[in-house]
Amino acid sequence: MVQTQHGIGGLSYDPAKRSRPPELNVFLALVLITVAFELIGRLFLGDSFLFNTRDNVDAIFNWQRLNIIILQVSIIGIIALGVTQVIISGGIDLSSGSIVGATAMVAMSFAQTAMVNGNPNPKAIFGDWAMDLPVLVPVLVGLGCGLAAGMVNGALVAFTRIPPFIATLGMMVFARGFSRWWSNGNPVSFPTEGYAAIGKGMMPVLIFVLLAVLFHLILTQTKYGKHCYAVGSNEQASRMSGIKVANHKVLVYTIAGMLAALAAIVLSSKNLTAQAGMGVMYELDAIAMAVIGGVSLQGGRGSILGTVLGALIFGVIISGFTFLQLDAYYQEMVKGVIIVGAVVLDQWRQGRSRG
Amino acid sequence: MTDTILETRGLTKHYGGVHALSDASFTLRRGEHVAIMGDNGAGKSTFVRQITGVERPTRGQIIFDGVEHTFESPIEAREAGIETVFQNLALADDLDVPSNLFLGREKFRFRLGPFSILDKKAMREASLQALVKTGVKIPNLMNTIRNMSGGQRQCVAIARTAAFKSKLVIMDEPTAALGVQETAQVENIIRTLKEAGEPLILISHNMRQVFDLVDRVVVFRRGRIVANLRKQETSGEDVVSYITGAKTGSEFEGAA
């Protein structure tokens, strides 16, 4: 090979230009917020946020609080895993909260017991044929709902020129209406023991963690994952490179829909009931978790690990406010501030790396 | 195996009533580097869009590597062995170098539909080879394109063509947006391709660059090929007069 002067002209390596993994920043934020609550607790309340202060319990940490932090974010966290993939692919999904409502109603209708305390089930939706079915039936029916809703989302986004925001907004309104229509607004209750076991105790956390690991591997190791980043990063280049962008989008929204459905199954199982209003605003919480975790709303950047950390920040903040005995109203307001802050941070970061 | 890698016969493209390209007959031999020149709207880009499958010609034949093709998409043209470096780069900013080189044609360790497991190591090694082949030096392969300079991006886009067994490389104004040193960089890569015997079609407005790099200059004017000049037998003024229409292609009849 001939000797050429390739050393010249913009090929020097500037380590400063190589940004550290954004997950590290999110993790630092998580630590910082936790420490802040700990300090405020010690200074003003004389109590610890993280550590065990009761003499009758033999533990270093306040496990009860830690469990609650994880438990309360794990169900929305499951949705956030799907939302993360949608946003990385350059889209947005506003329908997940409503899909939770609709799926919970439908799945629960196939999970009812015939007899409640010796009486016929007062909330029965169907006849005897749909009573005491094996747990697999409501789970598959529920996942089917998510699959259908997600596919419609994906098809709308991929094959019409409707922006994802509008397409999923339509699904959001439609699915919410559907869940009210399903039982004329009445709750659906009294599931079988098998169904109730899905969301019992720490099961939601287990399911969340397993799914997070699974989708982390899928996003980092598979063609699907690579194409999520590619499509979100430069859709036209992806198309020119032979990626079937439309098919990819349908798949992304379908997966997101199924994850929302799974969250609905876990939630309705945990609450032992399904209501038409279930999952209201979950879509925004899920988007917030992803954004706080460093997923860029412009697509192409983010990770499952980031979203999990974002979910934990969410949990710590909610738990911390309860710990400080602050009103729930403040939580909402602070959440809003954090979401906007995270997006501003993302744009600032992008502007700097482009500059 | 014929000596000709690409031949077009009577290639014509009409957009409604606009005759963007009329009866373009063009030949490229193996190992030959040819520049396509012409004013804006002269039909250069239209011509390239037909042979790279971006558009379907109204009339005419494309014979590539001895076989007549009708490319339905850029992907088909690429699969046949025509690699194009587009003006707007077509790179995914948030991906690293190997991911960009293998975008849409990844290597797999295990096939499972969309969830096929990527063979990152093989892609990394093949990327390294492609960069060596083109003489591109990128400090860190795993850096994302976003963190690279314009020249580096262009180099990655060009290396993409070398990562695969391309039979013909087409570059659409590869140095239009680059600085002096970065331009030199890209020109060196083009020389490396010449030494490797890779045929190339270069679209450029830069007269110095064209005379430095290629064997032959084809001039487009008003949708027609008006001149087909060997570098030794022509000059900058000559080419310019064909581009502006001061000189017409009367002495050029069916020479291509």
Side-chain angles (χ1 to χ4, degrees), chain B residues 197-231:
Chain B
E198 300 256 2
L200 172 91
I201 296 176
L202 173 73
I203 299 180
S204 179
H205 283 295
N206 184 332
M207 199 65 74
R208 187 226 16 105
Q209 181 174 66
V210 163
F211 275 84
D212 265 6
L213 294 174
V214 304
D215 309 308
R216 192 151 60 87
V217 182
V218 170
V219 181
F220 277 72
R221 182 172 160 74
R222 293 189 176 166
R224 293 180 179 276
I225 296 179
V226 294
N228 180 13
L229 312 156
R230 285 153 66 90
K231 185 171 78 179

Side-chain angles (χ1 to χ4, degrees), chain A residues 1-2 5-6 8 10-11 13 220-224 226-227 230 233-234 237 240-242 300-301 350 353-354, chain B residues 75 78 86 90-94 99 104 106 108 114 116 118 120 132 135 137 139 146 152 160 185 188 195:
Chain A
M1 191 144 296
V2 70
Q5 328 106 344
H6 293 311
I8 58 165
L11 280 187
Y13 175 48
T220 54
Q221 303 298 329
T222 71
K223 173 172 129 179
Y224 165 81
K226 190 61 83 186
H227 289 183
S233 184
N234 189 339
M240 297 280 264
S241 303
R301 275 169 304 140
Q350 199 175 357
S353 67
R354 278 237 170 104
Chain B
I75 296 124
R78 205 175 64 176
F86 290 101
L91 296 172
D93 274 359
D94 297 302
S99 303
E106 292 84 357
F108 299 114
S116 299
L118 299 168
K120 293 185 177 178
V132 169
K137 281 179 188 160
R146 186 180 299 281
Q152 286 174 318
R160 230 179 115 143
Q185 174 95 41
N188 274 325
E195 276 149 24

Side-chain angles (χ1 to χ4, degrees), chain A residues 54-294:
Chain A
R54 275 176 296 175
D55 297 327
N56 56 346
V57 184
D58 181 31
I60 301 170
F61 291 104
N62 185 343
W63 287 110
Q64 204 186 348
R65 174 142 38 230
L66 293 180
N67 285 346
I68 290 171
I69 290 176
I70 306 175
L71 188 61
Q72 67 191 358
V73 295
S74 56
I75 288 173
I76 302 180
I78 294 171
I79 302 170
L81 297 178
V83 167
T84 300
Q85 299 167 47
V86 171
I87 298 179
I88 289 175
S89 300
I92 193 88
D93 187 356
L94 297 179
S95 67
S96 36
S98 296
I99 293 177
V100 167
T103 304
M105 299 299 278
V106 177
M108 188 56 109
S109 304
F110 289 91
Q112 290 179 304
T113 51
M115 304 299 278
V116 180
N117 300 326
N119 301 311
N121 189 331
K123 302 285 185 193
I125 294 295
F126 296 122
D128 284 340
W129 62 271
M131 294 298 162
D132 295 307
L133 294 170
V135 66
L136 206 58
V137 176
V139 169
L140 289 181
V141 168
L143 288 177
C145 289
L147 180 118
M151 271 178 95
V152 171
N153 275 340
L156 283 174
V157 171
F159 300 114
T160 71
R161 292 199 167 265
I162 307 176
F165 181 87
I166 301 298
T168 58
L169 184 74
M171 178 57 74
M172 170 185 170
V173 178
F174 175 86
R176 186 61 65 196
F178 177 91
S179 50
R180 296 218 175 87
W181 164 81
W182 182 257
S183 60
N184 296 321
N186 295 315
V188 187
S189 309
F190 305 111
T192 58
E193 266 178 47
Y195 190 77
I198 298 172
K200 215 174 206 165
M202 294 302 273
M203 276 297 281
V205 178
L206 184 70
I207 293 171
F208 173 52
V209 171
L210 285 178
L211 286 171
V213 171
L214 175 71
F215 280 102
H216 170 75
L217 290 174
I218 285 178
L219 275 196
T220 54
Q221 303 298 329
T222 71
K223 173 172 129 179
Y224 165 81
K226 190 61 83 186
H227 289 183
C228 280
Y229 289 96
V231 171
S233 184
N234 189 339
E235 189 172 328
Q236 208 200 339
S238 302
R239 197 172 288 123
M240 297 280 264
S241 303
I243 296 176
K244 295 186 177 67
V245 174
N247 294 2
H248 177 83
K249 284 185 176 172
V250 172
L251 187 56
V252 171
Y253 282 94
T254 305
I255 288 175
M258 288 178 78
L259 282 167
L262 201 61
I265 292 167
V266 174
L267 180 65
S268 60
S269 159
K270 181 174 169 245
N271 293 357
L272 303 175
T273 183
Q275 287 165 359
M278 254 180 174
V280 169
M281 299 282 274
Y282 278 20
E283 64 280 341
L284 296 182
D285 283 355
I287 292 169
M289 285 177 183
V291 169
I292 292 171

Side-chain angles (χ1 to χ4, degrees), chain B residues 35 40 48 54 57 90 103 120 127 130 156 167 189 198 208 248:
Chain B
N40 291 334
V48 167
V54 177
L103 199 59
K120 293 185 177 178
S127 306
V156 171
K167 296 171 185 163
I189 295 173
E198 300 256 2
R208 187 226 16 105
T248 53

